[in-house]
Amino acid sequence: MDDLLIRGGLVLDGTGGPGREADVAVSGGRIVAIEPRSSRPARRTISAQGQVVAPGFIDIHTHSDFTLPLNPRAESKVRQGVTTEVVGNCGFSVAPALPGRADVLREYLASSAPWLSFHESTFAQYVAAFPATSVNVILQVGHHTLRLMTAGMDNRPLTDAERAKSRA
């Protein structure tokens, strides 16, 4: 017996193909069948008649790295069907904050995220310490954050040493 049967919705499978009316069976938190007019027994049945059933949506451009640490449940995204967020966009990320440079990053991002605390960390340390959230998170290193950590606000090309430091 399945845990859940979502019956009669217009299933959009994410492939770009046309939707089709079908039932979706779920067991153990995984989709186990998608079929028209399923006869599979389930503990719970939800009518999706007149509704769209789709896989989770990926929000490819967010700044939720500023808010997910404060609200890891991400209710506003989950209620919209978002299951994955890509953060570190527009060239900005909360890390790395290189030794002696955390204050520079704090000052630069203060108008966007005054509630965040900044401390020295590598990007790997930041990722390891990022809280568990209700959505999957793809953390990107912001190119502007890298530049800020190596050249500050100087309006000039990076030196070879600064480029090497950014890559590291």
Side-chain angles (χ1 to χ4, degrees):
M1 178 177 287
D2 294 322
D3 298 325
L4 174 65
L5 185 64
I6 304 170
R7 190 175 292 286
L10 179 66
V11 175
L12 300 176
D13 63 12
T15 64
R20 60 189 168 109
E21 189 173 308
D23 298 342
V24 178
V26 179
S27 273
R30 301 220 179 254
I31 295 172
V32 294
I34 301 173
E35 53 194 23
R37 293 173 298 289
S38 176
S39 60
R40 298 172 68 100
R43 288 182 183 83
R44 180 174 176 215
T45 300
I46 297 173
S47 173
Q49 200 70 35
Q51 303 294 312
V52 172
V53 179
F57 296 107
I58 301 170
D59 190 341
I60 64 169
H61 189 133
T62 79
H63 295 280
S64 296
D65 42 342
F66 297 168
T67 58
L68 282 170
L70 298 173
N71 180 20
R73 292 182 57 185
E75 295 96 338
S76 65
K77 294 297 181 107
V78 171
R79 289 181 179 141
Q80 296 176 68
V82 172
T83 58
T84 303
E85 292 197 55
V86 181
V87 303
N89 287 292
C90 295
F92 302 106
S93 57
V94 178
L98 300 180
R101 306 291 290 178
D103 286 342
V104 173
L105 188 57
R106 178 185 302 111
E107 180 181 334
Y108 193 80
L109 294 177
S111 63
S112 298
W115 53 86
L116 285 179
S117 61
F118 290 87
H119 57 279
E120 294 177 1
S121 85
T122 65
F123 194 76
Q125 290 167 331
Y126 169 71
V127 170
F130 201 82
T133 65
S134 294
V135 293
N136 300 303
V137 181
I138 299 170
L139 296 148
Q140 300 182 102
V141 177
H143 61 86
H144 190 72
T145 298
L146 292 176
R147 182 180 176 81
L148 191 63
M149 292 293 100
T150 56
M153 294 295 291
D154 295 348
N155 184 11
R156 59 170 175 77
L158 294 177
T159 66
D160 289 341
E162 289 167 337
R163 273 194 297 282
K165 191 174 185 180
S166 291
R167 280 192 299 274

